[in-house]
């Protein structure tokens, strides 16, 4: 999906997976209106209905009165008039975890995705949130495969097009717990203009107006910047050979710290 040249007005919230009680509480605080319409998109989950019902229940227990599930799958088109109407009314759209490729499979090229992106770019009170797969699918590109030592061999990772809500960013989830630094660093060789953000479980980022990522949660966010790297050997080696590059810049960020996504500098409080 084409990116708007103007900075988006809306807010993205991404969690690295794990327990998401704190995320749901944070989203409730961000909305600041118990009657604000919230829609759950659970197409990534193996049992979408059960997963969505759990989130509906949890958000209602936090005082949110207007929470519902939009069912999108092989038999339920994203572009059904009722689904589009509910999207246009929503203040928060929440993507659950699971398989992020199912999210793009069901949304790519739809009016639903165009409307989602339009509202994110034009409405300051609109929030898109996701956990795990629902976090990694947000940018223009997403990581979908890469494990262990193989992630540092050519061909050992795979990226695909995400939802395109934000450009020049890669988000990886379960980052610390599943040892995913190698695959994120490898992805930077292919997408060298991107900033890589590795989110630990129960840890995430709030991106306001596309400008800054503020960390929240109990763990660490690792930011990997390959803008000034050199020695990238990806174009000179064969499949299965080890990858190389030098001069990545890495930040370890914890709750309350902010990273400017344009300058890629940590924003220090005065």
């Amino acid at each position: 999906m084409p990116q708007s040249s103007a900075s988006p007005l809306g807010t993205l919230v991404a969690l690295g997976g794990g327990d998401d009680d704190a995320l749901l509480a944070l989203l409730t605080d961000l909305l600041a209106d118990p009657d604000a319409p919230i829609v759950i998109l659970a197409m990534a989950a193996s049992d979408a209905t059960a997963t969505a019902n759990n989130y509906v229940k949890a958000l209602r227990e936090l005082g949110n009165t207007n929470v519902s599930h939009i069912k999108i799958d092989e038999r339920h088109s994203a572009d059904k008039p009722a689904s589009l109407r509910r999207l246009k009314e929503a203040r928060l759209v929440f993507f659950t975890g699971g398989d992020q490729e199912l999210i793009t499979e069901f949304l790519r090229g739809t009016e639903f995705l165009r409307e989602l992106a339009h509202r994110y770019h034009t409405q300051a009170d609109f929030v898109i949130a996701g956990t795990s797969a629902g976090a990694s699918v947000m940018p223009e590109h997403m990581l979908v495969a890469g494990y262990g030592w193989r992630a540092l061999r050519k061909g050992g990772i795979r990226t695909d097009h995400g939802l395109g809500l934000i450009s020049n960013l890669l988000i990886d989830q379960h980052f610390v717990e599943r040892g995913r630094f190698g695959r994120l660093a490898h992805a930077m060789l292919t997408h060298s203009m991107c900033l890589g953000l590795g989110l630990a479980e129960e840890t995430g980022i709030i991106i306001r107006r596309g400008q800054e990522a503020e960390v929240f949660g109990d763990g660490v966010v690792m930011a990997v910047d390959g803008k000034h790297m050199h020695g990238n050997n990806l174009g000179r080696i064969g499949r299965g050979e080890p990858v190389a590059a030098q001069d990545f810049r890495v930040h370890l960020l914890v709750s309350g710290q902010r990273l400017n996504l344009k300058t890629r500098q940590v924003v220090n409080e005065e």
Side-chain angles (χ1 to χ4, degrees):
M1 169 168 291
Q3 297 287 318
S4 169
S5 58
S7 296
L9 299 181
T11 300
L12 296 179
V13 183
L15 185 78
D19 187 284
D20 48 22
D21 288 349
L23 169 65
L24 300 183
L26 182 146
L27 294 174
T28 299
D29 290 342
L30 280 179
L31 289 177
D33 177 1
D35 299 322
I38 300 172
V39 297
I40 309 298
L41 298 179
M43 69 278 276
S46 56
D47 189 336
T49 299
T51 298
N53 287 342
N54 287 336
Y55 278 105
V56 170
K57 181 175 183 289
L59 284 162
R60 286 178 178 169
E61 288 175 349
L62 288 169
N64 300 285
T65 63
N66 192 356
V67 191
S68 63
H69 171 213
I70 297 181
K71 191 172 184 62
I72 299 173
D73 56 25
E74 296 91 342
R75 299 184 301 278
H76 300 83
S77 168
D79 287 345
K80 288 174 58 177
S83 297
L84 290 171
R85 182 179 66 253
R86 287 162 65 192
L87 172 63
K88 290 176 181 180
E89 295 170 350
R91 283 271 312 284
L92 166 64
V93 174
F94 181 83
F95 288 92
T96 73
D99 180 352
Q100 61 259 41
E101 290 184 281
L102 290 176
I103 300 175
T104 55
E105 177 184 340
F106 295 132
L107 293 188
R108 189 174 292 146
T110 63
E111 179 61 28
F112 190 100
L113 179 54
R114 286 188 286 273
E115 177 65 20
L116 183 73
H118 173 73
R119 295 202 60 204
Y120 167 60
H121 278 88
T122 60
Q123 296 186 12
D125 63 349
F126 187 61
V127 181
I128 302 173
T131 182
S132 190
S136 61
V137 77
M138 292 179 181
E140 185 177 0
H141 301 286
M142 65 180 183
L143 267 158
V144 294
Y147 304 96
W149 64 268
R150 293 178 181 84
L152 290 172
R153 302 273 176 166
K154 185 172 181 176
I157 69 160
R158 184 164 62 88
T159 62
D160 202 350
H161 294 289
L163 295 182
L165 298 172
I166 189 165
S167 59
N168 296 326
L169 194 66
L170 281 168
I171 297 175
D172 207 354
Q173 76 281 17
H174 305 284
F175 190 74
V176 176
E177 295 77 9
R178 300 184 185 178
R180 288 180 164 174
F181 176 80
R183 78 175 195 172
L184 183 59
H186 186 164
M188 306 302 290
L189 304 186
T190 302
H191 303 286
S192 59
M193 296 310 295
C194 287
L195 174 68
L197 295 179
L199 313 182
E201 292 178 5
E202 300 171 24
T203 310
I205 51 172
I206 306 170
I207 300 176
R208 294 180 175 89
R209 295 177 175 263
Q211 299 296 314
E212 287 184 352
E214 179 182 350
V215 178
F216 67 91
D218 296 332
V220 175
V221 170
M222 182 178 290
V224 183
D225 182 2
K227 188 175 182 179
H228 301 292
M229 73 174 174
H230 58 89
N232 182 348
N233 71 344
L234 202 58
R236 307 190 301 273
I237 60 174
R239 187 176 182 86
E241 293 187 72
V243 299
Q246 295 81 54
D247 285 344
F248 287 103
R249 187 174 188 181
V250 177
H251 301 297
L252 299 179
L253 305 172
V254 296
S255 182
Q257 291 191 291
R258 294 177 290 134
L259 182 69
N260 186 305
L261 298 179
K262 305 299 183 184
T263 67
R264 304 189 179 184
Q265 300 293 316
V266 177
V267 180
N268 293 313
E269 297 291 349
E270 295 296 332

